[in-house]
Amino acid sequence: MDLEDKKLDAEVKMRRTLLAAERWLSKKGVLSVGKVFTVGIFILLVLGPILYLLLQIIISWDDINSTVFNDPILGNEAFLMMMRSIGLSLKIAAIVTVFDIIVGVPIAWILARYNFRGKNILDTLVDMPMAVPTSALGFSIYLFWGTNNGISKLFNSEVGLVSQGTLLIILAHVAFTFPYVTRSIKGIISDLDLNLEKAGRTLGASPFTIARMISLPLVKEGLLAGIVLAFTRSLGETGATLIVSGVYQTAPVVIVSWMKGLKIPTTAFLAFMLIIISLTLLTLVRLFARKVGLPWNKVFPRFERKLSSKPVTRTRDGVSLFLFLIFVFVPALFVIVFLFQWWGGSPFSGDPQAGMIYQVFQAPDQKITDITNALVTSIEIALIVTLINVIIATPMAFFISKMKNKKLKGFLDLLIDIPLVIPSSALGFSIFFLWGSNGMHILSPGFMMIIVAHVSFTYSYCVRPLIGSFDAIPTMYDEAATSFGASKFTAFRKVTFPFLKSGLIAAAIMTFTRSMSETGATIICMGVERTIPVLLVDFFEASTFPAAAFAATILIVISFLLLLLLRFFSRRKRNE
Amino acid sequence: MVKVELKDVTKFYGKIRGVENIDLSIDDGEYLAVLGPTGSGKTSTMYLLAGLLKPSSGSIHFDQTDVTKTPAEDREVGFVFEEYNLFPRMLVEENVLFGPVVKDLDIPESKLIAKELFTLLNIAGKEKNLPDEISGGQKQRVALARAIVSNAKLLVMDDPLRALDAKIREILQVELRKLVKDLGLTCIHATHDTHEAMRVADRIAVFKDGKIVQIGSPEEVYNHPNSLYVADFLGENTTIKGKISEKKNDCYFKTEDGLEFKIETSLNDGEEAIALVPSELLDVFDVSERKNINYDNILEGKVLKSKCIGEFNEIEIKLNNTIFKAKDLIGKNIPLKKGSTVLIATDKDDYRIFPQKEEIENEK
Amino acid sequence: MSDIRFQHVTKIFGRKVEAVKDLSFIINDGEYVSLIGPSGCGKTTALRLLAGTILPTKGQIFFDDKHMENVSIQDRNIGFVFQHFAIFPHMTVWENVAYGPTVRGRHKKDIESLVENALKSVQISSKAELYPPTLSAPDWQKTALARVLASEARILLLDEPLGALDQKIREEFQVFLRDLVKREKLTAIHVTHDQAEALTISDKVAVMNKGELIQLGSPTDLIYNPNHIFTSFFVGESDFLEGVVINDEEKESEVKIGQSIIRTHNTGVSKGKRVAVAVRREFFQLEKITKDADKITNNYINGTIIQDQFLGLLRRVRVRLENQQIIEAKIHAKYPIHFNENESVKVGFDSSLSRCFDYPKEGIIAALEM
């Protein structure tokens, strides 16, 4: 009895200490310090490298001027090359975005509005290109379109249908950027109030007119955000582009190749230009998305009614699904088919030394060891990055979600998105530039620098869903908690946090997935260690395709599992 | 401006019944209220009329034309929703002109009509506001104007006042009926609120589980409910169980706790029955008044509760083990004291008598 | 124990949205007070000011003469009950109820007895170990009430607590809630949009409009003795007859309406003023004009019937008065006389039941329409 009482006392004492500590932490002063600290870390890790790069461009303008514009031997050849590569990148990104809209919007509509068997599977498949490393995706697409193993078999052709170059880059980019468009509007479309459409119909509007005049304006901002993401992702993509570009050099590829040649000032300037372009786009869309009008208020009832007719809508749905299958789904997973074709030997000559088994497990260079090592490195990095980001992103998300000053909130929200839109190779370069030998000289390329780079570029992927999770928790719980005498921290621990669990897990998986699949920044920040997407590029460059296919398949399987996990937790979050 | 007919209309959602075998005819210029609880098929009926749903079987006719297969956008039905459904990014004016724009009607003329309606509905001056900037009552007025301007021949309203505060609801009921009658529209108005139905409509159709159980003028339906369900749904009643007993030429209702009332009924002697007495028909008097009043039944009881709740005094009176609820319009006299003894006076035709087996059916 | 006093409290949101204007009132210990008013009248803001989730821009709030400015929510001894319950779904009923004393660092034994008592008081002990998602709305609200009791709050703040319940359950809950508050000797402030609820449940009702307190009084006061035109309009239904004061005596004034002169209770409006005479629709008396002498009242205006509408619980008779104004009388369902369209009638009322207010500058409809 006595013992029990003592135990109870100890429990009460402990709880009181904890409550007191939380009360102290909830003091205004302490909270302010916490906020400053949170924002400080964000600026240092995420924005710091970019700001440093911008600063250095200004400070060492003379240096840049002499290498970029007035090189004693090449003159402004470096600048011209930059302009060419940026021009090519912009052109590709523009075409890719148009395709994304054509494929992405109808699929979003189908997923949001129709109920059919296998909808869940389609939904997962649409998401997949976002989770699979772009280098694996690019490789698979190259195999499908660009070699005599894929589509060309249908035409009995000896060579690939599409050779490396602009068209292949576009095909690859469409595959992994269109989900950004689909994703950004699918949720909004399924949340649209169906009653508004019913109201429109009773007023005499055909479904097409309603979609155009009522639904589209409500989806507009999400769509624009998705378009910006798709455009900037295409503009900045490295992993897949390295594989499918051939001699055509897009800007991110140029960054990587100049980095390899250690042309620091020119690389810095190109990275700077890419960052500026992406930021300008992001800012413009953020500022003006709401204001962009859809001026077309004139209605053509008969014509629009025809567009709404069953045959037309069925054709539209069919075409977009067909495009998805032929341009995304089949090419993206073709690598698995290829792997089985080349399992024990070449399907053409039968030579076992050209097969996967030999290349990976039997050849003297022991690729399996490389693959295992790279896999372990990738997972280690991803785990550490996820841990760091969950710790630094949760308070930030909470802070932004609860912020009352709308302007400041909007501004922070914009800053959060920066790592999302700037090319990862440019980001990787600016991290190398700040932390490496040219800047603070704290890190040299290698494991640690990759972690810093990944923390920086996965930050948005972690914060964004968390802000959503915090926003989704009704404020009444918080008010109820505090009205019963809980300090802010206690309320957070006992009430807010349990609501957050699934959201937090989802954010963590997202971060992990992104870190696992990143190529561009990793190539720049790595030392001798390879992550698995980079190893894949190496295999590709060494023309050991079956080995590359083996690595790619492993990556696809891992990402697929992660994706299923992510969907499980996001769904649980929604149900809560 | 149109006569509406539903002929044997049935709608199933998979296995769930929306409405079944609805036969309904609404005259040109008639105001019909569709009354029933949630899930009784009101909304299904409204959607079927507007063409937002297709019937599983049966047909719908406007005047002599079969419109069963006509899609919503071609039916010329003005629909008013419970939640207004104003288009959020359009100005009030653009909302109202949406119908004319998508139908390619004469816009200047539509603008004139809209302007008149705005004046009639007390929302003039709100044209350049966004829907978010006006109150709920004003939103529903805009929605009403929008439905009418789109050249509607038939106005269909799905519980249009449900989301509004009691005060504004009361005001809009009067406005609605006046507008519909002034414009000579045919109108069908679904509601869950008996008072609202009686306030707006020429006729009331009472729905239960997807079927029409009674249809008639407010007075008919209220005073002569054809089932326990209708009586229960429309009125605020005191419900008592007992037996019919006939003495000489008179009919009595006897309860287990020994109360006896003179009633009128077609039920037979000895049959188990339920008697409902609407609370407004229970007259309550001070004991001293006994000699001045003339009723079929006068009984003495004790006041359990007496409270002024706005337009009525609500009084609960206990007789033996039965608690009677009376509602009396407020007047000059302040409500009765708790605990005092009073007289409850009723006439024989104040009671609505149903066989007890109906209660069991109702609970299914 | 806990008097609540508002002194000239103003709350401004953003730059100039005055949610609450110069609010002054006193709520005595143990009183059940409801706040009613149209949406946006400031009733919820007043409740939040009491809770301390927002602070006044100007003015002071006192609990028992203690200034509340620097007292944070958790130290105010209040219990908040929400429309949507705010029951923590990841805790059992028991844990929900224990929440208050737990986060206040109470001893485990105290917590147990507090929770048990609270659960017993709201009759939900049998469901203590269940999780909220398995329960029904009334049980959630009971849990919310128990949670407040266990946190030893003395002041109960209820924000539309019955708003999410069905009508029938709502009426039962009104009785339950009032009994609970009286039994536990709490002070309750209850915000609702349902005036019948407010009149049923409360000792006093505060009518608010546009951020101002219009009238604070007992339910019968509001009905029989409105002291502001808004109270007449908002609580129940009244018609407002336009006229000019031609004579004011100590108790009664004479008002000229059209060609008729009627008498009304004198509310201090002076001679020559344009006024609105407010009469509750239940207080109108109708009489057919016959050759017989006046039966009901000699205080009347002539009019013609527009419609005699049967509404079950009562009848409403619309009448066009001789000054073209339309009024509506509510009469007893059993009233033996029926009126026909275009019939001439006398519309009378007892002068002591009418109230006379200054005519609003912007006109009655503009002043009172919401």
Side-chain angles (χ1 to χ4, degrees), chain A residues 81 242 249 252-263 267:
Chain A
M81 181 161 175
L242 280 173
Q249 296 209 301
V253 172
V254 171
I255 289 186
V256 171
S257 70
W258 279 351
M259 238 340 255
K260 283 185 180 161
L262 288 177
K263 298 181 187 166
T267 320

Side-chain angles (χ1 to χ4, degrees), chain A residues 158-194:
Chain A
E158 290 293 310
V159 289
L161 201 65
V162 183
S163 56
Q164 284 175 316
T166 314
L167 186 55
L168 200 56
I169 298 176
I170 291 172
L171 284 172
H173 283 197
V174 168
F176 63 80
T177 56
F178 99 90
Y180 289 93
V181 173
T182 306
R183 202 63 14 215
S184 64
I185 58 172
K186 194 198 97 181
I188 307 176
I189 294 176
S190 49
D191 285 349
L192 281 180
D193 188 355
L194 279 179

Side-chain angles (χ1 to χ4, degrees), chain A residues 198-258:
Chain A
K198 287 188 185 132
R201 292 193 59 199
T202 61
L203 293 168
S206 59
F208 180 81
T209 317
I210 293 169
R212 179 166 79 74
M213 291 180 73
I214 294 166
S215 310
L216 190 60
L218 296 171
V219 174
K220 182 181 69 186
E221 283 151 52
L223 182 62
L224 280 171
I227 288 175
V228 167
L229 271 183
F231 187 89
T232 51
R233 286 286 291 165
S234 164
L235 190 65
E237 208 287 327
T238 322
T241 318
L242 280 173
I243 290 172
V244 296
S245 58
V247 292
Y248 292 88
Q249 296 209 301
T250 66
V253 172
V254 171
I255 289 186
V256 171
S257 70
W258 279 351

Side-chain angles (χ1 to χ4, degrees), chain B residues 167 170 199 311 331-332 350, chain C residues 224 233 236 309 330 350:
Chain B
K167 192 80 211 169
E170 191 66 54
R199 192 101 162 99
E311 59 184 341
K332 198 175 177 184
D350 291 343
Chain C
Y224 287 94
F233 169 75
Q309 195 178 20
K330 292 181 179 177
D350 192 314

Side-chain angles (χ1 to χ4, degrees), chain A residues 431-432 434-437 440-446 448-450 452:
Chain A
I431 281 162
F432 164 80
L434 171 63
W435 301 104
S437 51
M440 317 273 287
H441 216 326
I442 296 174
L443 299 170
S444 49
M448 291 309 285
M449 198 186 264
I450 298 178
V452 173

